Amino acid sequence: MASPAASFLFFLLFFGAPTARSSHFNRPAVFNFGDSNSDTGCLVSSGIEAIGPPYGHLFFGNPSGRYCDGRLILDFLLDAMDMPYLNPYLDSLGAPNFRKGCNYAAAASTVLPATPTSFSPFSFGVQVNQFIHFKARVLELRSKGKKLDKYLPDEDYFEKGLYMFDIGQNDLAIAFYSKTLDQILASIPTILAVFETGLQKLYDQGARNFWIHNTGPLGCLAQNVARFGTDPSNLDELGCVSSHNQAAKLFNLQLHALCKELQEEYTDTNVTYVDIYTIKSNLIANYSRFGFEQPIMACCGYGGPPLNYDSRIICGQTKILNGTVVTAKGCDDSSEYINWDGIHYSEAANKYVSSQILTGKYSDPPFSDKMPFLLKLKF
Ligand SMILES: *[C@@H]1O[C@H](CO)[C@@H](O)[C@H](O)[C@H]1NC(C)=O
Ligand SMILES: *[C@@H]1O[C@H](CO)[C@@H](O)[C@H](O)[C@H]1NC(C)=O
Ligand SMILES: *[C@@H]1O[C@H](CO)[C@@H](O)[C@H](O)[C@H]1NC(C)=O
C-alpha cells in the first residue's frame, strides 16, 4: 500500500498538476523595493547600522544583512521561483552578481522622502533612482563588450522582470511618535501618491509586472505594544495596538484601490496586490494551530515576558542599563516564536507567510497554479 504522500503525488501526476506557471513566477529577473521586511543587506552595507549574532544564525550562519534569524519572505518566494537570493544594491564586495535582479530594499525606509531625523535615507524615491542608475549602468556596460554579461541582466530582463514592493510600514509606524491617529489616517493619500509616482517612473523605465505586498498588522509588533499599548483600552482582543492596526487597514484599503486603478490604466501591465495583513493577523490570532507558542513576545530581546522587548537595547547587543551589564539574547527555539526581535518576524513565521502567499488565495488577482511551487518548498 502506497503511503498517503505517494498516493497524493500519484494523483497529481496522473490527473495532472496545473502546469501553467503564474506569469509572475516565470521571470528572468526580480527587482525588489522596500524596508526591513525584504532588506537583504542594503542598510548594513551602507554603514548606517551594524547587526551582529544571533541575527542570521539559523540559515546563513551570520547576520547576512537581514533583520531576521534566517530567511525573509522574499527569500522563500525566490526559492519557489527557482531564483537565487537577491544581491543588495549597495553591497560592493564578494561576487556581486546582478544577472537575475537586484534588491534596493533598505531597513527603516519609508515611502515619503527621508527627513534629517530619518534613520534610513533610502526612501522609495531614492530606491527608484538607484534602479534607474543601475539600469543605465547595465546598458552602458553591456554596450562596451560581453565581459560582464554573466553578471548583468539582459536588456529585455527589465521589461520581463518582476518588480516587487513591500514598503509603507515605517511611514505609519514612525508617524505615531509625533502625530495623532486622525492625522496619520489623513496622511495616507499623500504617502500613496508618492508611491504611485515611483511606480510610474518604473513603468516609464519599462517595468510591466508589479507585485505589491500590503502592510502587516504593525500594532502586533512588540515594539509598538511596548510603547503604545500601556493603556489597555488601546489594545484589541489579540493584545495588539488598535490604532496602529486601524492605520494599517486603511493604508491597505487605499493601496488596494490604487493597484486596481493602475491595472485599469496600464492595460499592458500586470499588477498583483498581495494581502500580507490577513495572512499575518490570521497567524497571530491562531498561532497555536500553526505550531507556534508565542504570538507577540520577541524571541531575541531583553526584559522577559510578556514582550521581552526593551527599546534601549537591540537583539544581540550588550549594554549597561541602569548600572547593570545586560545582553539582549535569543531564545532557545525561535521556531516557537512569530516575532524575532520585537520588530521583525522570525524565519519560521516568514516561511508560513510565504506558504500562504503561494496558495494564490491572498492576491488580487488570485492565482491557482500553486502546486509546482509548493512541491519545491521543504516545509
Ligand atoms: C500578464 O499576465 C498574463 C496572464 O498570466 C500574461 O499572459 C501576460 O504576458 C502578462 N503581461 C505581461 C506584460 O507580462
Ligand atoms: C482564526 O481562525 C478562525 C478559524 O479558521 C478564523 O475564522 C479567523 O478568522 C482566524 N482569525 C483571524 C484574525 O484571521
Ligand atoms: C532602575 O533601577 C531602579 C532601582 O532598582 C528601579 O526602580 C528602576 O525601575 C530601574 N529602571 C529601569 C528603567 O529599569
Side-chain angles (χ1 to χ4, degrees):
M1 203 45 210
S3 73
S7 315
F8 183 55
L9 197 60
F10 174 74
F11 174 88
L12 285 178
L13 293 172
F14 193 78
F15 295 98
T19 46
R21 289 180 148 216
S22 161
S23 64
H24 294 296
F25 289 108
N26 200 5
R27 298 280 157 199
V30 171
F31 303 98
N32 183 71
F33 303 80
D35 52 31
S36 56
N37 287 311
S38 61
D39 182 358
T40 55
C42 276
L43 193 74
V44 166
S45 296
S46 78
I48 288 171
E49 185 170 63
I51 48 178
Y55 279 97
H57 76 100
L58 262 193
F59 187 78
F60 298 97
N62 62 62
S64 83
R66 287 165 173 81
Y67 288 76
C68 185
D69 51 338
R71 286 162 288 180
L72 306 176
I73 293 170
L74 175 66
D75 297 316
F76 286 113
L77 295 182
L78 287 163
D79 270 343
M81 294 181 222
D82 257 342
M83 295 280 276
Y85 297 144
L86 289 187
N87 228 67
Y89 175 71
L90 295 175
D91 183 15
S92 52
L93 290 175
N97 190 332
F98 297 106
R99 173 124 182 104
K100 300 208 161 186
C102 184
N103 188 7
Y104 306 89
S109 298
T110 48
V111 173
L112 293 177
T115 66
T117 56
S118 296
F119 194 68
S120 163
F122 308 111
S123 63
F124 184 51
V126 173
Q127 293 181 26
V128 169
N129 288 341
Q130 290 175 336
F131 168 82
I132 292 172
H133 174 73
F134 174 91
K135 185 185 166 198
R137 275 294 276 162
V138 167
L139 299 184
E140 181 194 333
L141 289 167
R142 294 195 76 91
S143 73
K144 286 185 179 156
K146 299 212 169 295
K147 205 174 61 170
L148 294 171
D149 282 7
K150 63 174 188 275
Y151 302 110
L152 305 177
D154 287 349
E155 187 169 351
D156 65 346
Y157 287 10
F158 291 107
E159 193 191 318
K160 292 183 181 149
L162 182 63
Y163 289 74
M164 304 178 88
F165 306 86
D166 191 327
I167 193 160
Q169 174 177 325
N170 293 319
D171 292 87
L172 303 176
I174 294 168
F176 274 101
Y177 289 86
S178 61
K179 292 192 173 123
T180 65
L181 175 62
D182 284 343
Q183 288 170 330
I184 293 167
L185 299 180
S187 74
I188 291 171
T190 310
I191 300 169
L192 289 173
V194 175
F195 184 58
E196 183 179 2
T197 303
L199 295 182
Q200 265 157 358
K201 278 190 170 184
L202 293 171
Y203 178 87
D204 292 342
Q205 290 285 324
R208 291 296 179 269
N209 293 284
F210 296 87
W211 175 273
I212 301 171
H213 288 181
N214 75 5
T215 203
L218 53 137
C220 301
L221 300 175
Q223 181 189 47
N224 294 324
V225 179
R227 175 72 171 70
F228 300 96
T230 45
D231 174 0
S233 71
N234 197 21
L235 291 178
D236 65 15
E237 66 285 357
L238 302 179
C240 305
V241 186
S242 315
S243 50
H244 284 59
N245 284 353
Q246 202 185 324
K249 281 191 218 162
L250 187 67
F251 178 86
N252 290 339
L253 207 65
Q254 294 183 18
L255 176 64
H256 194 177
L258 172 63
C259 290
K260 286 183 170 160
E261 260 171 58
L262 292 172
Q263 181 62 83
E264 276 170 27
E265 194 178 331
Y266 298 123
T267 49
D268 59 347
T269 297
N270 286 323
V271 180
T272 302
Y273 168 84
V274 188
D275 186 4
I276 301 290
Y277 187 100
T278 295
I279 298 173
K280 284 184 172 172
S281 47
N282 184 11
L283 172 60
I284 290 164
N286 294 306
Y287 63 95
S288 55
R289 196 183 309 155
F290 304 118
F292 290 88
E293 288 178 17
Q294 295 296 340
I296 292 178
M297 183 161 77
C299 160
C300 185
Y302 174 72
L307 297 173
N308 193 34
Y309 179 80
D310 186 319
S311 63
R312 297 169 299 174
I313 176 164
I314 69 165
C315 167
Q317 271 185 339
T318 296
K319 257 191 180 173
I320 299 174
L321 288 190
N322 220 2
T324 316
V325 178
V326 300
T327 299
K329 289 200 198 81
C331 59
D332 288 338
D333 183 359
S334 60
S335 70
E336 295 172 353
Y337 289 70
I338 290 174
N339 198 292
W340 163 242
D341 62 359
I343 310 173
H344 309 100
Y345 286 70
S346 65
E347 173 178 284
N350 287 335
K351 192 185 244 186
Y352 168 80
V353 173
S354 311
S355 73
Q356 294 305 294
I357 295 172
L358 291 166
T359 65
K361 287 189 297 195
Y362 296 93
S363 39
D364 181 16
F367 58 92
S368 58
D369 47 347
K370 60 190 174 184
M371 288 317 292
F373 318 116
L374 286 184
L375 283 175
K376 268 198 233 106
L377 285 177
K378 295 170 199 75
F379 286 106

